[in-house]
Amino acid sequence: MNAHRAAAALCLGLASTAVTPTAHAVVEQTCLVNEVVTFSEPVTNTPKTVGVTVNGQLFNCTNGSAATGSYTETATLPDYTCTSLFYQGSGTRVFTWTDPAATPSAYSYNRTSSRVGANIVILLLGSIGSGTFATEPAKMQLTALNPDPISCATTGVSHLSLFGALTVGL
């Protein structure tokens, strides 16, 4: 559990320094994020096409009308390896809020990722296109430990756990 707290603290520290709000910006929502990425077959150092399923939980959110939520995203990635975890690209996630009065938020983003020490840092920058918080800019910053190099060279890595924060309205 201490490793989870340390990763969450690191994520929150990184997330709070990544983007400076503009003079007229209003933060509409901030949530903590817990995400699990599962691979259709273990990822190794040998390139192969892999299915990826992302399951995320949004919690401790600051907006009472959307206090918790979840999302799922799937993709098929060609030539994927342990080092390809740092891919760039774009996508869409639909945040389904627990409160049925809050309509699902479609978040379209551009993804960048990098290695910072022993961590993978992923930054998703974009906007909410529809639903609750529509037209608001948004960012999600996530951190995971680098996959075990011995597993990457042998049996592979079947999933990654990521922690971070979502900010809507920058």
Side-chain angles (χ1 to χ4, degrees):
M1 187 68 168
N2 289 336
H4 291 284
R5 286 189 194 132
L10 173 65
C11 289
L12 292 176
L14 290 172
S16 66
T17 62
V19 174
T20 303
T22 60
H24 301 292
V26 175
V27 173
E28 299 288 334
Q29 174 75 298
T30 302
C31 299
L32 295 178
V33 180
N34 183 8
E35 185 174 286
V36 176
V37 178
T38 305
F39 306 111
S40 60
E41 60 180 285
V43 176
T44 65
N45 292 330
T46 303
K48 60 185 154 193
T49 298
V50 176
V52 177
T53 301
V54 177
N55 289 300
Q57 298 295 317
L58 305 166
F59 60 99
N60 288 351
C61 301
T62 57
N63 188 307
S65 65
T68 60
S70 62
Y71 58 92
T72 299
E73 183 180 10
T74 59
T76 301
L77 303 172
D79 300 321
Y80 206 62
T81 67
C82 278
T83 56
S84 297
L85 298 171
F86 306 105
Y87 75 93
Q88 315 307 312
S90 61
T92 300
R93 294 179 171 182
V94 177
F95 303 140
T96 302
W97 304 104
T98 306
D99 185 338
T103 58
S105 302
Y107 173 45
S108 296
Y109 63 85
N110 289 313
R111 172 194 166 113
T112 59
S113 54
S114 59
R115 182 174 289 169
V116 178
N119 296 303
I120 300 167
V121 178
I122 299 168
L123 182 61
L124 309 175
L125 290 176
S127 63
I128 306 295
S130 63
T132 300
F133 309 115
T135 74
E136 291 292 334
K139 79 169 181 179
M140 183 181 283
Q141 185 162 343
L142 301 162
T143 301
L145 293 175
N146 282 318
D148 176 46
I150 295 172
S151 294
C152 288
T154 57
T155 59
V157 175
S158 61
H159 70 278
L160 286 176
S161 296
L162 299 101
F163 302 95
L166 167 69
T167 304
V168 177
L170 305 176

